[in-house]
Amino acid sequence: MISAQDAARSGDESYIRDLGRAFGGTLLFSLPLLMTMEMWTLGFSTQPERRLVFVLAALPVLFGLAHYAGFSERRGLLNNALDTLVALAVGFVTSAALLRVFNVLDLSSAASAVGQISLQAVPAALGALAARRQLSSDLEEGAEDEASYPGELFLMLAGALYFAMNLAPTEEMRLIAYLATPAGALGVLILSIVLLHLIVFEAGFAGQEEAETPTRAFLDFTLPGYALCLLASLAMLWVFGGTEGHGLQALAANVVILAFPAAIGAAAARLLV
């Protein structure tokens, strides 16, 4: 018979292991942005209000990931909220440490340093919450099929946000959008929808019935999913200043181009989380 003391010790050891996995997931998911020059600059050039909106808007997304994935096995509203806050703390600590190690953290003012760290902390926290799915070998079989239809759409949104978040700050995305012709942008839009549909249908999302037709999957997942990709792309462009100084046509081109990797992220989210 296991004593209460042994059970508590086992629980503590398990949580320490979960925290270690969270830090591993943070590194896995956040390194591309931590080593991106544009993010270092945007950390202190982006308006503080936008950074604050970015972090606050990320909280419900992180909470949802804590429910569907999470770095620990604990569930329930309180545990999900605690895991969300811990994941964000892990994101802040990891981001601050690595930016300092890379010698790119602007220490000339507290505002600059906090700005750089806060932009990096959100994608790092996403990685922390996805860690258990990616780095753990003790998941129960079928645990990935818990999401309802709204949950599947949420996971698609989370995947779209992550991919858009990684590419929205880069100059390359804006250059591609600038060089794109209207016909080229339309082609990217169509290709995004086609790839999203193929991956979603072949991946067998949990919300799909076994007998669901490609047409039904297109209406239930692909079209709503692509709409979420466009929304995620617009939101990330706004956060990183990519919506400023553009006419409607140029803005639409930027959104459509960024929605291409976002669509891949949305489609892959069901496989990753």
Side-chain angles (χ1 to χ4, degrees), residues 3 21 35 50 86-88 100 153 188 193 199 231 238 259:
S3 66
R21 197 156 45 210
M35 303 183 77
R50 295 196 184 193
V86 171
L88 197 57
R100 187 70 184 97
L153 293 182
V188 171
I193 294 175
I199 298 174
L231 179 63
W238 178 81

Side-chain angles (χ1 to χ4, degrees), residues 67-69 75 132-134 136 138-149 151-152 155 203-208 268-273:
H67 173 72
Y68 287 113
R75 288 297 180 269
R132 183 165 157 266
R133 294 289 187 187
Q134 296 304 303
S136 177
D138 57 359
L139 287 176
E140 296 179 5
E141 186 177 354
E144 71 278 6
D145 293 332
E146 296 172 355
S148 61
Y149 174 68
E152 296 288 358
L155 292 177
F205 275 34
Q208 293 177 212
R270 194 64 186 87
L271 305 176
L272 295 174
V273 178

Side-chain angles (χ1 to χ4, degrees), residues 37-178:
M37 182 171 62
E38 289 89 347
M39 283 294 288
W40 307 337
T41 304
L42 286 168
F44 52 80
S45 64
T46 303
Q47 298 172 353
E49 297 82 4
R50 295 196 184 193
R51 293 198 302 263
L52 180 61
V53 169
F54 178 55
V55 174
L56 293 179
L59 290 177
V61 177
L62 294 174
F63 182 85
L65 283 177
H67 173 72
Y68 287 113
F71 63 84
S72 71
E73 297 180 357
R74 306 178 310 172
R75 288 297 180 269
L77 289 177
L78 179 58
N79 286 327
N80 291 343
L82 289 174
D83 281 0
T84 298
L85 295 178
V86 171
L88 197 57
V90 168
F92 271 96
V93 170
T94 304
S95 299
L98 288 182
L99 288 174
R100 187 70 184 97
V101 167
F102 298 152
N103 200 29
V104 296
L105 188 61
D106 184 5
L107 298 176
S108 61
S109 72
S112 295
V114 170
Q116 287 181 295
I117 295 168
S118 61
L119 278 190
Q120 300 278 6
V122 170
L126 287 173
L129 290 170
R132 183 165 157 266
R133 294 289 187 187
Q134 296 304 303
L135 304 177
S136 177
S137 61
D138 57 359
L139 287 176
E140 296 179 5
E141 186 177 354
E144 71 278 6
D145 293 332
E146 296 172 355
S148 61
Y149 174 68
E152 296 288 358
L153 293 182
F154 165 78
L155 292 177
M156 294 177 79
L157 174 62
L161 282 170
Y162 177 73
F163 272 56
M165 197 182 300
N166 272 270
L167 294 170
T170 65
E171 290 297 326
E172 289 81 0
M173 291 300 300
R174 301 179 191 187
L175 177 60
I176 293 172
Y178 174 76

Side-chain angles (χ1 to χ4, degrees), residues 241-253:
T243 59
E244 298 174 359
H246 293 305
L248 183 59
Q249 182 175 338
L251 177 60

